Amino acid sequence: MKVALFVTCVNDTLYPETGRAMVRLLRRLGHDVEFPEGQTCCGQMHLNTGYRRQALPLVKGFAETFEPYDAVVTPSASCAAMIRDWHPKLAPRASGVASRVYELSEFLVDVLDVTDVGAYFPHRVTYHPTCHSLRMLHVGDRPLRLLREVRGIDLADLPDAAECCGFGGTFALKNAEVSAAMCADKVTAVRETRAEALCAADNSCLMHIGGALTRTRAAVRTVHLAEILASTEEDLK
């Protein structure tokens, strides 16, 4: 397959290691991965704040950039949901490319038909299913199926896992007090698991929760699903 990485704004700017982890993982599984340099924002920030007209050039640019590829894989359920759900509505010609966009766990489980990716991560981990992954992409238990196959992992159930962390992009800015209260509940649940690491499919949510974990001095780090799946025993030597 001719596979492209859509890294997204947050990962490109703040969490580049997540993108590198995806490339390592997919190459380890035998797939060549390209990074089209013409990629930009998917337009989600513009659309969510009411700038629909300004999002349209980004949607069209995305379709043009990724048209040559059989599959486009991204480490963001949020951006994948934006592309699959909204790009065809904003620009019908974008529907072909949008249908070939996958969040990482979807691509591994549904397209490559693999759950054991040869990962090794000897830590106690809990998983937070982000809102877009649950409610728009409907990824279900795909991330958990992948995590359960990771050697050495101690996977702990997160209480009230489906509850929102309170980030929601600009929601956290416009409704700061409500957002902070929601995040506090999520942090309490994470700490109850006694996990060493909190995992999710969106670094935006991990950034939000991770900030609260740091402020409360919780001994829990955040790690993207891709980084766990890309980890091997060789990495620890």
Side-chain angles (χ1 to χ4, degrees):
M1 296 182 70
K2 191 174 183 182
V3 180
L5 167 65
F6 174 51
V7 74
T8 79
C9 301
V10 167
N11 291 305
D12 184 50
T13 306
L14 299 174
Y15 302 98
E17 183 51 39
T18 297
R20 296 189 190 106
M22 275 190 59
V23 173
R24 290 198 310 272
L25 170 62
L26 294 175
R27 286 179 176 172
R28 192 172 76 222
L29 295 175
H31 299 274
D32 189 27
V33 185
E34 297 182 12
F35 181 84
E37 294 187 5
Q39 62 182 279
T40 62
C41 176
C42 67
Q44 180 181 184
M45 293 184 292
H46 305 70
L47 183 72
N48 287 352
T49 47
Y51 294 95
R52 185 174 181 142
R53 180 170 54 84
Q54 288 82 350
L56 189 56
L58 298 173
V59 173
K60 292 179 177 178
F62 184 95
E64 292 172 2
T65 300
F66 290 101
E67 174 60 37
Y69 297 93
D70 300 314
V72 181
V73 190
T74 179
S76 169
S78 177
C79 293
M82 165 66 186
I83 296 162
R84 291 230 300 266
D85 192 58
W86 276 102
H87 279 203
K89 297 173 183 176
L90 294 170
R93 291 184 180 179
S95 59
V97 175
S99 67
R100 302 196 296 274
V101 173
Y102 302 91
E103 178 270 330
L104 178 61
S105 72
E106 293 181 306
F107 185 68
L108 293 172
V109 175
D110 297 344
V111 180
L112 300 187
D113 192 27
V114 60
T115 53
D116 186 349
V117 298
Y120 176 72
F121 196 76
H123 301 284
R124 185 171 175 83
V125 176
T126 192
Y127 173 74
H128 166 61
T130 62
C131 291
H132 280 91
S133 69
L134 279 181
R135 297 171 177 88
M136 291 186 72
L137 285 187
H138 304 290
V139 300
D141 68 343
R142 291 174 183 84
L144 289 171
R145 287 162 64 186
L146 290 159
L147 288 170
R148 289 179 188 126
E149 297 292 340
V150 174
R151 292 189 296 280
I153 198 169
D154 179 10
L155 194 57
D157 291 335
L158 180 65
D160 299 318
E163 294 298 317
C164 178
C165 71
F167 178 59
T170 56
F171 175 85
L173 299 175
K174 295 178 179 179
N175 303 275
E177 292 184 2
V178 176
S179 173
M182 295 169 72
C183 192
D185 289 343
K186 183 63 64 173
V187 165
T188 297
V190 171
R191 297 184 74 156
E192 285 179 10
T193 68
R194 295 179 292 105
E196 301 170 64
L198 171 67
C199 171
D202 281 282
N203 270 327
S204 53
C205 296
L206 288 177
M207 175 180 65
H208 184 59
I209 305 169
L213 287 167
T214 299
R215 289 190 294 275
T216 58
R217 300 188 180 185
V220 186
R221 62 188 174 106
T222 57
V223 57
H224 192 280
L225 175 67
E227 295 173 55
I228 291 180
L229 298 181
S231 299
T232 65
E233 294 182 61
E234 290 297 319
D235 297 329
L236 301 179
K237 294 181 179 179

